[in-house]
Short mmCIF file of all heavy atoms in Angstrom, two decimals:
data_model
loop_
_atom_site.label_atom_id
_atom_site.label_comp_id
_atom_site.label_asym_id
_atom_site.label_seq_id
_atom_site.Cartn_x
_atom_site.Cartn_y
_atom_site.Cartn_z
N MET A 1317 24.21 13.93 7.25
CA MET A 1317 23.96 13.16 8.47
C MET A 1317 22.46 12.96 8.61
O MET A 1317 21.67 13.86 8.33
CB MET A 1317 24.53 13.90 9.68
CG MET A 1317 24.23 13.18 10.97
SD MET A 1317 24.70 14.10 12.43
CE MET A 1317 26.38 13.62 12.57
N ASP A 1318 22.05 11.78 9.05
CA ASP A 1318 20.63 11.47 9.23
C ASP A 1318 20.14 11.95 10.58
O ASP A 1318 20.87 11.90 11.57
CB ASP A 1318 20.40 9.96 9.14
CG ASP A 1318 20.57 9.41 7.74
OD1 ASP A 1318 20.64 10.22 6.80
OD2 ASP A 1318 20.61 8.19 7.58
N SER A 1319 18.86 12.37 10.61
CA SER A 1319 18.24 12.70 11.89
C SER A 1319 17.90 11.40 12.62
O SER A 1319 17.92 10.31 12.03
CB SER A 1319 16.96 13.51 11.66
OG SER A 1319 15.97 12.71 11.03
N LYS A 1320 17.58 11.51 13.91
CA LYS A 1320 17.22 10.31 14.68
C LYS A 1320 15.96 9.66 14.13
O LYS A 1320 15.86 8.44 14.06
CB LYS A 1320 17.04 10.67 16.15
CG LYS A 1320 18.34 10.98 16.85
CD LYS A 1320 18.13 11.31 18.30
CE LYS A 1320 19.44 11.69 18.96
NZ LYS A 1320 19.27 12.07 20.36
N LYS A 1321 14.98 10.48 13.72
CA LYS A 1321 13.73 9.93 13.17
C LYS A 1321 14.00 9.16 11.88
O LYS A 1321 13.45 8.09 11.66
CB LYS A 1321 12.73 11.05 12.91
CG LYS A 1321 12.10 11.62 14.15
CD LYS A 1321 11.10 12.69 13.79
CE LYS A 1321 10.49 13.30 15.03
NZ LYS A 1321 9.54 14.36 14.69
N ARG A 1322 14.86 9.73 11.03
CA ARG A 1322 15.19 9.07 9.77
C ARG A 1322 15.90 7.74 10.03
O ARG A 1322 15.56 6.72 9.43
CB ARG A 1322 16.08 9.99 8.93
CG ARG A 1322 16.51 9.39 7.61
CD ARG A 1322 17.42 10.37 6.86
NE ARG A 1322 18.09 9.72 5.77
CZ ARG A 1322 17.60 9.60 4.55
NH1 ARG A 1322 16.42 10.08 4.26
NH2 ARG A 1322 18.30 9.01 3.60
N SER A 1323 16.87 7.74 10.94
CA SER A 1323 17.58 6.51 11.28
C SER A 1323 16.63 5.46 11.85
O SER A 1323 16.73 4.27 11.53
CB SER A 1323 18.70 6.80 12.29
OG SER A 1323 19.68 7.61 11.71
N PHE A 1324 15.70 5.89 12.69
CA PHE A 1324 14.73 4.97 13.28
C PHE A 1324 13.84 4.36 12.21
O PHE A 1324 13.61 3.15 12.19
CB PHE A 1324 13.90 5.69 14.34
CG PHE A 1324 12.95 4.80 15.07
CD1 PHE A 1324 13.41 3.91 16.02
CD2 PHE A 1324 11.58 4.85 14.82
CE1 PHE A 1324 12.53 3.08 16.70
CE2 PHE A 1324 10.70 4.03 15.49
CZ PHE A 1324 11.17 3.15 16.43
N LEU A 1325 13.35 5.19 11.29
CA LEU A 1325 12.49 4.69 10.22
C LEU A 1325 13.25 3.74 9.31
O LEU A 1325 12.72 2.71 8.88
CB LEU A 1325 11.89 5.84 9.42
CG LEU A 1325 10.88 5.45 8.34
CD1 LEU A 1325 9.72 4.66 8.93
CD2 LEU A 1325 10.37 6.67 7.62
N LYS A 1326 14.52 4.05 9.02
CA LYS A 1326 15.33 3.16 8.21
C LYS A 1326 15.49 1.80 8.91
O LYS A 1326 15.41 0.76 8.27
CB LYS A 1326 16.71 3.77 7.96
CG LYS A 1326 16.70 4.86 6.91
CD LYS A 1326 18.03 5.56 6.81
CE LYS A 1326 19.15 4.68 6.36
NZ LYS A 1326 20.43 5.42 6.16
N ALA A 1327 15.72 1.82 10.22
CA ALA A 1327 15.88 0.57 10.97
C ALA A 1327 14.59 -0.25 10.93
O ALA A 1327 14.63 -1.48 10.78
CB ALA A 1327 16.28 0.88 12.41
N ILE A 1328 13.45 0.41 11.07
CA ILE A 1328 12.16 -0.29 11.03
C ILE A 1328 11.93 -0.92 9.66
O ILE A 1328 11.55 -2.08 9.56
CB ILE A 1328 11.00 0.65 11.41
CG1 ILE A 1328 11.06 0.96 12.90
CG2 ILE A 1328 9.65 0.04 11.05
CD1 ILE A 1328 10.06 2.01 13.34
N THR A 1329 12.16 -0.15 8.59
CA THR A 1329 11.92 -0.70 7.25
C THR A 1329 12.89 -1.83 6.95
O THR A 1329 12.53 -2.81 6.29
CB THR A 1329 12.01 0.38 6.15
OG1 THR A 1329 13.30 1.00 6.18
CG2 THR A 1329 10.92 1.43 6.34
N TRP A 1330 14.12 -1.75 7.46
CA TRP A 1330 15.08 -2.83 7.26
C TRP A 1330 14.63 -4.11 7.96
O TRP A 1330 14.70 -5.21 7.42
CB TRP A 1330 16.46 -2.41 7.76
CG TRP A 1330 17.46 -3.50 7.60
CD1 TRP A 1330 18.08 -4.18 8.60
CD2 TRP A 1330 17.93 -4.07 6.38
NE1 TRP A 1330 18.92 -5.14 8.06
CE2 TRP A 1330 18.82 -5.09 6.71
CE3 TRP A 1330 17.66 -3.82 5.05
CZ2 TRP A 1330 19.46 -5.85 5.74
CZ3 TRP A 1330 18.30 -4.58 4.09
CH2 TRP A 1330 19.19 -5.58 4.44
N LYS A 1331 14.16 -3.96 9.20
CA LYS A 1331 13.72 -5.13 9.96
C LYS A 1331 12.48 -5.75 9.32
O LYS A 1331 12.34 -6.97 9.29
CB LYS A 1331 13.43 -4.72 11.40
CG LYS A 1331 13.31 -5.88 12.36
CD LYS A 1331 14.38 -6.89 12.10
CE LYS A 1331 15.32 -7.11 13.21
NZ LYS A 1331 16.21 -8.24 12.98
N MET A 1332 11.58 -4.92 8.78
CA MET A 1332 10.39 -5.44 8.11
C MET A 1332 10.80 -6.30 6.91
O MET A 1332 10.18 -7.33 6.64
CB MET A 1332 9.49 -4.29 7.67
CG MET A 1332 8.77 -3.62 8.84
SD MET A 1332 7.90 -2.08 8.43
CE MET A 1332 6.95 -2.55 7.02
N LEU A 1333 11.84 -5.87 6.18
CA LEU A 1333 12.33 -6.69 5.07
C LEU A 1333 12.78 -8.06 5.57
O LEU A 1333 12.50 -9.08 4.95
CB LEU A 1333 13.50 -5.99 4.38
CG LEU A 1333 13.16 -4.92 3.38
CD1 LEU A 1333 14.43 -4.22 2.90
CD2 LEU A 1333 12.40 -5.49 2.20
N GLY A 1334 13.46 -8.08 6.71
CA GLY A 1334 13.92 -9.35 7.28
C GLY A 1334 12.76 -10.27 7.65
O GLY A 1334 12.81 -11.47 7.41
N PHE A 1335 11.70 -9.69 8.21
CA PHE A 1335 10.54 -10.49 8.58
C PHE A 1335 9.84 -11.07 7.36
O PHE A 1335 9.21 -12.12 7.43
CB PHE A 1335 9.53 -9.67 9.39
CG PHE A 1335 9.90 -9.51 10.83
CD1 PHE A 1335 10.11 -8.26 11.37
CD2 PHE A 1335 10.04 -10.61 11.67
CE1 PHE A 1335 10.46 -8.10 12.70
CE2 PHE A 1335 10.38 -10.47 13.00
CZ PHE A 1335 10.59 -9.22 13.52
N LEU A 1336 9.95 -10.40 6.22
CA LEU A 1336 9.32 -10.89 5.00
C LEU A 1336 10.19 -11.89 4.24
O LEU A 1336 9.69 -12.86 3.67
CB LEU A 1336 8.98 -9.71 4.08
CG LEU A 1336 7.94 -8.72 4.60
CD1 LEU A 1336 7.85 -7.53 3.66
CD2 LEU A 1336 6.59 -9.40 4.75
N ILE A 1337 11.49 -11.65 4.21
CA ILE A 1337 12.38 -12.44 3.38
C ILE A 1337 12.64 -13.84 3.93
O ILE A 1337 12.62 -14.82 3.18
CB ILE A 1337 13.71 -11.69 3.17
CG1 ILE A 1337 13.47 -10.38 2.41
CG2 ILE A 1337 14.73 -12.55 2.44
CD1 ILE A 1337 12.80 -10.54 1.06
N LEU A 1338 12.91 -13.96 5.22
CA LEU A 1338 13.25 -15.27 5.78
C LEU A 1338 12.16 -16.31 5.54
O LEU A 1338 12.46 -17.42 5.08
CB LEU A 1338 13.60 -15.17 7.26
CG LEU A 1338 14.10 -16.47 7.89
CD1 LEU A 1338 15.29 -17.04 7.14
CD2 LEU A 1338 14.44 -16.26 9.34
N PRO A 1339 10.88 -16.02 5.79
CA PRO A 1339 9.85 -17.02 5.50
C PRO A 1339 9.78 -17.39 4.01
O PRO A 1339 9.56 -18.55 3.67
CB PRO A 1339 8.55 -16.38 5.95
CG PRO A 1339 8.96 -15.33 6.92
CD PRO A 1339 10.29 -14.86 6.48
N MET A 1340 9.99 -16.42 3.14
CA MET A 1340 9.95 -16.72 1.70
C MET A 1340 11.09 -17.65 1.31
O MET A 1340 10.91 -18.60 0.55
CB MET A 1340 10.00 -15.44 0.87
CG MET A 1340 8.73 -14.63 0.96
SD MET A 1340 8.56 -13.24 -0.18
CE MET A 1340 10.09 -12.40 -0.08
N ILE A 1341 12.28 -17.41 1.86
CA ILE A 1341 13.41 -18.28 1.57
C ILE A 1341 13.16 -19.68 2.13
O ILE A 1341 13.45 -20.69 1.49
CB ILE A 1341 14.72 -17.68 2.11
CG1 ILE A 1341 15.08 -16.43 1.32
CG2 ILE A 1341 15.86 -18.70 2.04
CD1 ILE A 1341 16.25 -15.66 1.89
N ALA A 1342 12.61 -19.75 3.34
CA ALA A 1342 12.31 -21.05 3.96
C ALA A 1342 11.33 -21.84 3.10
O ALA A 1342 11.51 -23.04 2.89
CB ALA A 1342 11.76 -20.85 5.36
N ILE A 1343 10.32 -21.18 2.59
CA ILE A 1343 9.33 -21.86 1.73
C ILE A 1343 9.99 -22.38 0.45
O ILE A 1343 9.72 -23.49 0.02
CB ILE A 1343 8.16 -20.91 1.40
CG1 ILE A 1343 7.31 -20.69 2.66
CG2 ILE A 1343 7.31 -21.44 0.27
CD1 ILE A 1343 6.30 -19.58 2.54
N LEU A 1344 10.87 -21.56 -0.13
CA LEU A 1344 11.54 -21.95 -1.37
C LEU A 1344 12.53 -23.10 -1.17
O LEU A 1344 12.83 -23.83 -2.11
CB LEU A 1344 12.28 -20.75 -1.98
CG LEU A 1344 11.38 -19.64 -2.53
CD1 LEU A 1344 12.23 -18.45 -2.95
CD2 LEU A 1344 10.55 -20.15 -3.71
N THR A 1345 13.02 -23.27 0.03
CA THR A 1345 14.03 -24.31 0.27
C THR A 1345 13.50 -25.49 1.07
O THR A 1345 14.28 -26.30 1.54
CB THR A 1345 15.25 -23.71 1.00
OG1 THR A 1345 14.82 -23.14 2.24
CG2 THR A 1345 15.94 -22.67 0.15
N ILE A 1346 12.18 -25.60 1.20
CA ILE A 1346 11.62 -26.75 1.91
C ILE A 1346 12.11 -28.01 1.21
O ILE A 1346 12.11 -28.12 0.00
CB ILE A 1346 10.08 -26.70 1.95
CG1 ILE A 1346 9.65 -25.61 2.92
CG2 ILE A 1346 9.48 -28.04 2.29
CD1 ILE A 1346 8.16 -25.40 2.98
N GLY A 1347 12.53 -28.93 2.00
CA GLY A 1347 13.08 -30.16 1.44
C GLY A 1347 14.60 -30.12 1.32
O GLY A 1347 15.21 -31.11 1.00
N ALA A 1348 15.17 -28.96 1.60
CA ALA A 1348 16.64 -28.87 1.56
C ALA A 1348 17.20 -29.75 2.66
O ALA A 1348 16.68 -29.79 3.77
CB ALA A 1348 17.08 -27.42 1.74
N LYS A 1349 18.26 -30.44 2.37
CA LYS A 1349 18.82 -31.40 3.32
C LYS A 1349 19.63 -30.72 4.41
O LYS A 1349 19.92 -31.33 5.42
CB LYS A 1349 19.69 -32.41 2.58
CG LYS A 1349 18.89 -33.30 1.65
CD LYS A 1349 19.78 -34.27 0.95
CE LYS A 1349 18.94 -35.11 -0.01
NZ LYS A 1349 19.74 -36.07 -0.73
N SER A 1350 19.95 -29.46 4.23
CA SER A 1350 20.83 -28.82 5.19
C SER A 1350 20.35 -27.42 5.54
O SER A 1350 20.02 -26.62 4.67
CB SER A 1350 22.24 -28.75 4.63
OG SER A 1350 23.08 -28.03 5.48
N LEU A 1351 20.31 -27.13 6.83
CA LEU A 1351 19.97 -25.78 7.26
C LEU A 1351 21.09 -24.80 6.96
O LEU A 1351 20.87 -23.59 6.90
CB LEU A 1351 19.65 -25.76 8.76
CG LEU A 1351 18.37 -26.48 9.15
CD1 LEU A 1351 18.20 -26.47 10.66
CD2 LEU A 1351 17.17 -25.85 8.49
N ILE A 1352 22.28 -25.31 6.72
CA ILE A 1352 23.40 -24.44 6.34
C ILE A 1352 23.09 -23.75 5.02
O ILE A 1352 23.35 -22.56 4.86
CB ILE A 1352 24.71 -25.25 6.25
CG1 ILE A 1352 25.10 -25.75 7.63
CG2 ILE A 1352 25.82 -24.42 5.62
CD1 ILE A 1352 26.27 -26.72 7.64
N LEU A 1353 22.48 -24.48 4.10
CA LEU A 1353 22.09 -23.90 2.82
C LEU A 1353 21.12 -22.76 3.03
O LEU A 1353 21.27 -21.69 2.44
CB LEU A 1353 21.47 -24.97 1.91
CG LEU A 1353 20.94 -24.47 0.56
CD1 LEU A 1353 22.08 -23.90 -0.27
CD2 LEU A 1353 20.25 -25.60 -0.17
N LEU A 1354 20.13 -22.96 3.87
CA LEU A 1354 19.16 -21.91 4.17
C LEU A 1354 19.86 -20.69 4.75
O LEU A 1354 19.59 -19.56 4.35
CB LEU A 1354 18.10 -22.42 5.14
CG LEU A 1354 17.07 -21.39 5.61
CD1 LEU A 1354 16.28 -20.82 4.44
CD2 LEU A 1354 16.15 -22.01 6.63
N SER A 1355 20.77 -20.91 5.66
CA SER A 1355 21.48 -19.80 6.29
C SER A 1355 22.32 -19.03 5.28
O SER A 1355 22.33 -17.80 5.27
CB SER A 1355 22.38 -20.34 7.41
OG SER A 1355 23.08 -19.30 8.02
N ILE A 1356 23.02 -19.74 4.42
CA ILE A 1356 23.85 -19.08 3.41
C ILE A 1356 23.00 -18.25 2.47
O ILE A 1356 23.31 -17.08 2.19
CB ILE A 1356 24.68 -20.12 2.63
CG1 ILE A 1356 25.75 -20.71 3.55
CG2 ILE A 1356 25.32 -19.50 1.39
CD1 ILE A 1356 26.46 -21.92 2.97
N ILE A 1357 21.91 -18.82 1.99
CA ILE A 1357 21.02 -18.10 1.08
C ILE A 1357 20.43 -16.87 1.76
O ILE A 1357 20.38 -15.79 1.18
CB ILE A 1357 19.89 -19.02 0.56
CG1 ILE A 1357 20.48 -20.11 -0.34
CG2 ILE A 1357 18.83 -18.22 -0.19
CD1 ILE A 1357 19.50 -21.20 -0.70
N TYR A 1358 20.02 -17.03 3.00
CA TYR A 1358 19.43 -15.91 3.75
C TYR A 1358 20.43 -14.76 3.89
O TYR A 1358 20.10 -13.61 3.61
CB TYR A 1358 18.96 -16.39 5.13
CG TYR A 1358 18.52 -15.26 6.02
CD1 TYR A 1358 17.29 -14.64 5.82
CD2 TYR A 1358 19.32 -14.82 7.06
CE1 TYR A 1358 16.88 -13.60 6.63
CE2 TYR A 1358 18.91 -13.77 7.88
CZ TYR A 1358 17.69 -13.17 7.66
OH TYR A 1358 17.29 -12.14 8.45
N HIS A 1359 21.63 -15.07 4.31
CA HIS A 1359 22.61 -14.01 4.56
C HIS A 1359 23.06 -13.33 3.26
O HIS A 1359 23.27 -12.12 3.25
CB HIS A 1359 23.79 -14.53 5.36
CG HIS A 1359 23.43 -14.81 6.78
ND1 HIS A 1359 23.14 -13.81 7.68
CD2 HIS A 1359 23.26 -15.95 7.46
CE1 HIS A 1359 22.83 -14.33 8.84
NE2 HIS A 1359 22.89 -15.65 8.73
N ILE A 1360 23.20 -14.07 2.20
CA ILE A 1360 23.55 -13.46 0.91
C ILE A 1360 22.42 -12.55 0.44
O ILE A 1360 22.65 -11.42 0.00
CB ILE A 1360 23.87 -14.54 -0.14
CG1 ILE A 1360 25.20 -15.23 0.21
CG2 ILE A 1360 23.92 -13.93 -1.55
CD1 ILE A 1360 25.49 -16.45 -0.63
N THR A 1361 21.19 -13.03 0.55
CA THR A 1361 20.02 -12.25 0.15
C THR A 1361 19.91 -10.98 0.98
O THR A 1361 19.70 -9.88 0.44
CB THR A 1361 18.73 -13.08 0.28
OG1 THR A 1361 18.85 -14.25 -0.51
CG2 THR A 1361 17.52 -12.27 -0.16
N MET A 1362 20.06 -11.09 2.29
CA MET A 1362 19.94 -9.92 3.15
C MET A 1362 21.07 -8.92 2.91
O MET A 1362 20.86 -7.71 2.98
CB MET A 1362 19.88 -10.33 4.62
CG MET A 1362 18.60 -11.08 4.98
SD MET A 1362 17.06 -10.25 4.47
CE MET A 1362 17.08 -8.84 5.56
N PHE A 1363 22.25 -9.41 2.58
CA PHE A 1363 23.36 -8.52 2.25
C PHE A 1363 23.01 -7.69 1.02
O PHE A 1363 23.19 -6.47 0.99
CB PHE A 1363 24.65 -9.32 2.02
CG PHE A 1363 25.80 -8.46 1.58
CD1 PHE A 1363 26.51 -7.73 2.50
CD2 PHE A 1363 26.14 -8.38 0.24
CE1 PHE A 1363 27.58 -6.92 2.08
CE2 PHE A 1363 27.19 -7.59 -0.18
CZ PHE A 1363 27.91 -6.86 0.74
N MET A 1364 22.50 -8.36 -0.02
CA MET A 1364 22.14 -7.65 -1.25
C MET A 1364 20.99 -6.68 -1.00
O MET A 1364 21.00 -5.55 -1.50
CB MET A 1364 21.79 -8.65 -2.35
CG MET A 1364 22.98 -9.44 -2.83
SD MET A 1364 22.66 -10.55 -4.22
CE MET A 1364 21.51 -11.70 -3.51
N LEU A 1365 19.99 -7.11 -0.23
CA LEU A 1365 18.87 -6.23 0.08
C LEU A 1365 19.30 -5.03 0.92
O LEU A 1365 18.79 -3.92 0.73
CB LEU A 1365 17.76 -6.99 0.79
CG LEU A 1365 16.90 -7.86 -0.09
CD1 LEU A 1365 15.95 -8.70 0.76
CD2 LEU A 1365 16.12 -7.02 -1.07
N PHE A 1366 20.23 -5.23 1.84
CA PHE A 1366 20.73 -4.12 2.64
C PHE A 1366 21.37 -3.06 1.74
O PHE A 1366 21.12 -1.87 1.90
CB PHE A 1366 21.75 -4.60 3.68
CG PHE A 1366 22.32 -3.49 4.50
CD1 PHE A 1366 21.57 -2.91 5.52
CD2 PHE A 1366 23.59 -3.01 4.26
CE1 PHE A 1366 22.08 -1.87 6.27
CE2 PHE A 1366 24.11 -1.98 5.01
CZ PHE A 1366 23.36 -1.41 6.02
N PHE A 1367 22.14 -3.50 0.76
CA PHE A 1367 22.78 -2.58 -0.17
C PHE A 1367 21.73 -1.78 -0.94
O PHE A 1367 21.81 -0.55 -1.02
CB PHE A 1367 23.70 -3.33 -1.13
CG PHE A 1367 24.38 -2.43 -2.11
CD1 PHE A 1367 25.49 -1.69 -1.73
CD2 PHE A 1367 23.91 -2.31 -3.40
CE1 PHE A 1367 26.12 -0.85 -2.64
CE2 PHE A 1367 24.52 -1.46 -4.30
CZ PHE A 1367 25.63 -0.73 -3.93
N VAL A 1368 20.73 -2.47 -1.49
CA VAL A 1368 19.66 -1.80 -2.23
C VAL A 1368 18.89 -0.86 -1.30
O VAL A 1368 18.58 0.29 -1.67
CB VAL A 1368 18.72 -2.82 -2.89
CG1 VAL A 1368 17.50 -2.15 -3.49
CG2 VAL A 1368 19.46 -3.62 -3.95
N HIS A 1369 18.58 -1.31 -0.09
CA HIS A 1369 17.86 -0.52 0.89
C HIS A 1369 18.60 0.79 1.18
O HIS A 1369 18.00 1.87 1.20
CB HIS A 1369 17.70 -1.35 2.17
CG HIS A 1369 16.91 -0.70 3.25
ND1 HIS A 1369 17.50 -0.06 4.30
CD2 HIS A 1369 15.58 -0.61 3.45
CE1 HIS A 1369 16.57 0.41 5.11
NE2 HIS A 1369 15.39 0.08 4.62
N GLU A 1370 19.90 0.71 1.38
CA GLU A 1370 20.70 1.91 1.64
C GLU A 1370 20.72 2.85 0.44
O GLU A 1370 20.63 4.06 0.59
CB GLU A 1370 22.13 1.53 2.03
CG GLU A 1370 22.24 1.02 3.44
CD GLU A 1370 21.92 2.11 4.46
OE1 GLU A 1370 22.47 3.22 4.38
OE2 GLU A 1370 21.10 1.83 5.35
N ARG A 1371 20.81 2.29 -0.76
CA ARG A 1371 20.83 3.12 -1.97
C ARG A 1371 19.49 3.83 -2.15
O ARG A 1371 19.46 5.00 -2.54
CB ARG A 1371 21.15 2.28 -3.21
CG ARG A 1371 22.52 1.62 -3.17
CD ARG A 1371 23.67 2.57 -2.99
NE ARG A 1371 23.72 3.51 -4.09
CZ ARG A 1371 24.42 4.64 -4.08
NH1 ARG A 1371 25.16 4.96 -3.04
NH2 ARG A 1371 24.40 5.45 -5.11
N VAL A 1372 18.39 3.14 -1.88
CA VAL A 1372 17.07 3.77 -1.97
C VAL A 1372 16.98 4.92 -0.97
O VAL A 1372 16.55 6.03 -1.31
CB VAL A 1372 15.94 2.74 -1.73
CG1 VAL A 1372 14.61 3.43 -1.54
CG2 VAL A 1372 15.88 1.76 -2.90
N TRP A 1373 17.39 4.67 0.28
CA TRP A 1373 17.32 5.71 1.30
C TRP A 1373 18.25 6.89 0.98
O TRP A 1373 17.99 8.01 1.39
CB TRP A 1373 17.63 5.14 2.68
CG TRP A 1373 16.38 4.67 3.34
CD1 TRP A 1373 15.94 3.39 3.43
CD2 TRP A 1373 15.40 5.47 3.98
NE1 TRP A 1373 14.73 3.34 4.09
CE2 TRP A 1373 14.38 4.61 4.44
CE3 TRP A 1373 15.27 6.83 4.22
CZ2 TRP A 1373 13.27 5.07 5.11
CZ3 TRP A 1373 14.15 7.30 4.89
CH2 TRP A 1373 13.17 6.42 5.33
N ASN A 1374 19.34 6.66 0.26
CA ASN A 1374 20.20 7.77 -0.15
C ASN A 1374 19.46 8.75 -1.06
O ASN A 1374 19.80 9.93 -1.10
CB ASN A 1374 21.46 7.27 -0.86
CG ASN A 1374 22.50 6.77 0.11
OD1 ASN A 1374 22.50 7.15 1.28
ND2 ASN A 1374 23.36 5.90 -0.36
N GLY A 1375 18.47 8.26 -1.78
CA GLY A 1375 17.68 9.12 -2.65
C GLY A 1375 16.54 9.83 -1.96
O GLY A 1375 15.90 10.71 -2.55
N VAL A 1376 16.25 9.50 -0.71
CA VAL A 1376 15.17 10.12 0.04
C VAL A 1376 15.73 11.33 0.79
O VAL A 1376 16.66 11.19 1.57
CB VAL A 1376 14.53 9.12 1.04
CG1 VAL A 1376 13.48 9.80 1.89
CG2 VAL A 1376 13.94 7.94 0.28
N GLU A 1377 15.17 12.49 0.54
CA GLU A 1377 15.67 13.72 1.16
C GLU A 1377 15.11 13.95 2.56
O GLU A 1377 15.70 14.67 3.35
CB GLU A 1377 15.34 14.93 0.28
CG GLU A 1377 16.07 14.90 -1.05
CD GLU A 1377 17.58 14.96 -0.91
OE1 GLU A 1377 18.07 15.70 -0.03
OE2 GLU A 1377 18.27 14.24 -1.66
N TRP A 1378 13.97 13.33 2.89
CA TRP A 1378 13.32 13.55 4.19
C TRP A 1378 14.26 13.21 5.33
O TRP A 1378 14.88 12.16 5.36
CB TRP A 1378 12.06 12.70 4.29
CG TRP A 1378 11.38 12.81 5.62
CD1 TRP A 1378 10.51 13.77 6.00
CD2 TRP A 1378 11.54 11.94 6.73
NE1 TRP A 1378 10.12 13.55 7.29
CE2 TRP A 1378 10.73 12.43 7.77
CE3 TRP A 1378 12.29 10.80 6.96
CZ2 TRP A 1378 10.64 11.82 9.00
CZ3 TRP A 1378 12.21 10.19 8.19
CH2 TRP A 1378 11.39 10.70 9.20
N GLY A 1379 14.38 14.12 6.28
CA GLY A 1379 15.13 13.86 7.50
C GLY A 1379 16.64 14.07 7.40
O GLY A 1379 17.35 13.89 8.38
N LYS A 1380 17.13 14.42 6.23
CA LYS A 1380 18.57 14.65 6.09
C LYS A 1380 18.90 16.02 6.66
O LYS A 1380 18.16 16.99 6.46
CB LYS A 1380 19.00 14.59 4.62
CG LYS A 1380 19.07 13.20 4.07
CD LYS A 1380 19.66 13.22 2.68
CE LYS A 1380 19.80 11.82 2.12
NZ LYS A 1380 20.36 11.86 0.76
N LYS A 1381 20.01 16.09 7.35
CA LYS A 1381 20.49 17.35 7.87
C LYS A 1381 21.48 17.93 6.87
O LYS A 1381 22.36 17.23 6.37
CB LYS A 1381 21.17 17.18 9.22
CG LYS A 1381 20.21 16.73 10.30
CD LYS A 1381 20.93 16.57 11.62
CE LYS A 1381 19.97 16.13 12.71
NZ LYS A 1381 20.66 15.90 13.98
N LYS A 1382 21.32 19.20 6.59
CA LYS A 1382 22.22 19.84 5.63
C LYS A 1382 23.52 20.22 6.32
O LYS A 1382 23.54 20.71 7.43
CB LYS A 1382 21.56 21.08 5.04
CG LYS A 1382 20.27 20.74 4.31
CD LYS A 1382 19.85 21.87 3.42
CE LYS A 1382 18.50 21.54 2.85
NZ LYS A 1382 18.51 21.27 1.48
N GLN A 1383 24.61 19.94 5.62
CA GLN A 1383 25.93 20.31 6.14
C GLN A 1383 26.20 21.77 5.82
O GLN A 1383 25.82 22.27 4.77
CB GLN A 1383 27.01 19.44 5.52
CG GLN A 1383 26.89 17.99 5.95
CD GLN A 1383 28.01 17.14 5.34
OE1 GLN A 1383 28.63 17.56 4.37
NE2 GLN A 1383 28.22 15.97 5.88
N LEU A 1384 26.87 22.45 6.73
CA LEU A 1384 27.18 23.87 6.52
C LEU A 1384 28.46 24.04 5.73
O LEU A 1384 29.34 23.35 5.70
CB LEU A 1384 27.31 24.58 7.87
CG LEU A 1384 26.03 24.55 8.70
CD1 LEU A 1384 26.28 25.21 10.06
CD2 LEU A 1384 24.93 25.29 7.97
#
C-alpha cells in the first residue's frame, strides 16, 4: 500500500507528464483537419504513458508500506 506522500508525488509527476505531452502532440499535429484526431492521439499516448508511469513507480521503494 502506498503512503499519502507517495500517492501525492505520483499524482504530481503524472500531471506534469500531461502538461508536457499535450503541447508536443499539438505541435506535431498542426495542420490536422480534425481535433478528433488530436484527442484520439492524446488519449492513446496518455494511456500508454500512464502504464509506463505506474510500472516505474512499482520499482520505487520509497514510501511503500510493508504488509505484515
Side-chain angles (χ1 to χ4, degrees):
M1317 177 187 274
D1318 289 348
S1319 68
K1320 288 181 183 178
K1321 286 182 182 178
R1322 179 182 166 87
S1323 294
F1324 184 74
L1325 185 58
K1326 284 173 64 175
I1328 288 173
T1329 58
W1330 178 247
K1331 195 43 117 172
M1332 287 170 50
L1333 279 174
F1335 280 120
L1336 295 173
I1337 297 303
L1338 186 55
M1340 289 190 313
I1341 292 172
I1343 289 168
L1344 291 173
T1345 59
I1346 287 177
K1349 294 180 182 180
S1350 174
L1351 291 176
I1352 293 172
L1353 176 63
L1354 176 60
S1355 179
I1356 290 170
I1357 293 170
Y1358 172 75
H1359 288 290
I1360 290 171
T1361 302
M1362 292 309 292
F1363 176 80
M1364 291 185 296
L1365 283 173
F1366 178 76
F1367 180 79
V1368 172
H1369 183 261
E1370 284 295 310
R1371 298 303 299 165
V1372 168
W1373 270 100
N1374 281 337
V1376 176
E1377 294 297 321
W1378 176 84
K1380 285 187 178 179
K1381 294 180 180 177
K1382 299 196 187 249
Q1383 294 181 342
L1384 298 177

